[in-house]
Amino acid sequence: MNYVALRERPTQFLALTSLLPAEFDDLLTDFTPRWERYHRYHTLDGDRRRIPAHRERANATLAGTDTKLFFLLTYLKTNSLQQHQAASFGVSQTRVSRLAGPLLDVLNQTLAARHLLPVRDGAQLAQRLAAHPVKVFTCDGVERGIPRNADRAAQEEEYSAKKSPRPEKHHLIRRYAVPARSFAHRVRAGARQKKVDLYPLCLPVSSVLRQDLGFLGHRPPGVLIEMPHKKPPKGELTFSQLLYNQLLSSLRVVIEHVHSGIKRLRMVRDKLRLRGDWFRDTVMVVACGQHNLRVRSQHRAYLTHAPANLDK
């Protein structure tokens, strides 16, 4: 796969990385010094080097930080087999496995330095949302398939009687009228109890939370809940209830757009074959960060109707 040649084809470059070449270059300016610092003092296995590496080897297959970032973004976007990724870049499968972890960690740090990653802590979430002038939020959950755990105790915890594949769940919150932020709250797999009670959402008092019937019974204190009417058993909804559900659905569609943006990475949308818990969680966080990067990009039309207090 020729990185230099693909840069001349923006449509194909976008399909392989989810970023435009200009967005890629902008991200590369922060990614490069962090990767060079990591490579100087650490090996690909994360061990501390006895002697710092001041330069890259002359015979390196993936020469250049830009090629390495392109390698990682295509791996996340296409979710290809490691053997296929190795054949595309002329390296071994072992090399792909060893490179993916450190590169993902550095990309995660780069997005965090740009304040693009979602908030993971409930107290920080409440503090961040308290400063927003319009306290209207939309909440929803997103699932992705994960491999079956070999440990029997973990299987019982992750098993859901409603769904055959083992899903991993994340709660997402989107602020009203602000397209540049998404908040991810991780939830363990399983459906035997209300996981939202184990991982509560901390919201400002007197705020409005729009959620669907999957969060039935979830009522944070001091928060006004807007939820569709549930069809009664052997009954029908009234015309006013149907109209309310339709209106609320049109307002909540923004969170579905966030889901669509995050799931541009096939590693999030498809079943993730890797079993490392840290890698699985970091992939989801990086997917949210890339979504925020695209939404805030000056090279796209997302900011056309954005309010003036976008970064507040």
Side-chain angles (χ1 to χ4, degrees):
M1 191 177 294
N2 193 333
Y3 159 71
V4 178
L6 286 171
R7 284 187 58 89
E8 304 301 324
R9 300 193 287 270
T11 303
Q12 192 172 12
F13 190 90
L14 176 65
L16 289 173
T17 63
S18 80
L19 298 179
L20 297 171
E23 297 168 347
F24 179 89
D25 294 337
D26 182 51
L27 180 62
L28 186 63
T29 57
D30 291 338
F31 181 84
T32 298
R34 283 181 168 78
W35 172 254
E36 290 178 348
R37 189 182 308 115
Y38 177 88
H39 180 263
R40 176 175 298 179
Y41 298 107
H42 298 85
T43 65
L44 293 182
D45 297 326
D47 299 329
R48 187 80 177 183
R49 294 183 186 271
R50 291 180 295 178
I51 301 176
H54 297 286
R55 66 184 63 181
E56 195 175 46
R57 292 186 305 169
N59 60 345
T61 306
L62 297 176
T65 312
D66 51 355
T67 305
K68 292 182 177 62
L69 180 58
F70 177 74
F71 164 86
L72 176 64
L73 293 180
T74 55
Y75 184 47
L76 297 176
K77 178 63 168 63
T78 61
N79 194 27
S80 59
L81 296 174
Q82 288 189 354
Q83 288 288 6
H84 184 275
Q85 188 76 1
S88 300
F89 286 87
V91 296
S92 64
Q93 182 270 331
T94 304
R95 189 74 173 177
V96 173
S97 180
R98 294 181 64 195
L99 270 173
L103 287 173
L104 183 64
D105 188 26
V106 174
L107 179 59
N108 185 41
Q109 297 175 19
T110 303
L111 295 173
R114 291 193 166 202
H115 307 287
L116 294 173
L117 294 186
V119 174
R120 312 300 305 282
D121 180 70
Q124 295 180 8
L125 176 62
Q127 182 180 4
R128 182 75 63 86
L129 296 180
H132 194 260
V134 183
K135 293 181 173 54
V136 180
F137 313 106
T138 305
C139 175
D140 203 355
V142 59
E143 294 183 353
R144 55 179 180 158
I146 59 175
R148 181 175 180 176
N149 201 311
D151 183 65
R152 287 187 175 274
Q155 287 182 20
E156 294 181 0
E157 180 183 357
E158 296 177 357
Y159 176 71
S160 171
K162 294 183 179 180
K163 299 185 179 180
S164 176
R166 270 66 177 171
E168 186 174 63
K169 303 177 182 178
H170 294 260
H171 289 160
L172 300 178
I173 297 180
R174 184 186 185 277
R175 295 190 290 188
Y176 174 73
V178 179
R181 287 281 190 259
S182 64
F183 300 88
H185 199 68
R186 191 182 181 199
V187 182
R188 285 288 184 181
R192 292 193 172 183
Q193 53 184 319
K194 292 185 179 297
K195 298 299 180 179
V196 72
D197 295 335
L198 300 179
Y199 304 88
L201 302 177
C202 300
L203 301 177
V205 179
S206 302
S207 59
V208 178
L209 180 62
R210 294 168 178 163
Q211 55 189 20
D212 59 11
L213 292 174
F215 291 87
L216 190 64
H218 174 237
R219 294 184 175 276
V223 176
L224 175 63
I225 300 297
E226 293 184 355
M227 182 179 294
H229 293 284
K230 186 177 181 180
K231 183 178 178 181
K234 299 181 180 180
E236 298 292 338
L237 295 177
T238 64
F239 176 78
S240 59
Q241 291 175 333
L242 291 174
L243 191 61
Y244 174 82
N245 288 356
Q246 184 178 2
L247 177 61
L248 184 59
S249 177
S250 65
L251 296 175
R252 292 191 68 259
V253 73
V254 292
I255 196 67
E256 303 300 337
H257 295 163
V258 174
H259 288 176
S260 176
I262 293 173
K263 289 188 175 183
R264 289 189 186 186
L265 303 187
R266 296 190 65 93
M267 192 166 282
V268 175
R269 183 175 65 182
D270 300 341
K271 182 177 180 179
L272 183 59
R273 296 179 296 271
L274 301 176
R275 298 179 180 273
D277 188 67
W278 172 87
F279 195 94
R280 292 195 313 222
D281 185 58
T282 307
V283 165
M284 183 64 186
V285 174
V286 167
C288 294
Q290 288 193 41
H291 168 72
N292 290 333
L293 174 65
R294 290 190 299 267
V295 169
R296 299 185 66 179
S297 173
Q298 299 296 332
H299 305 281
R300 308 202 185 210
Y302 296 123
L303 298 181
T304 304
H305 304 288
N309 57 357
L310 181 62
D311 294 325
K312 293 183 179 179

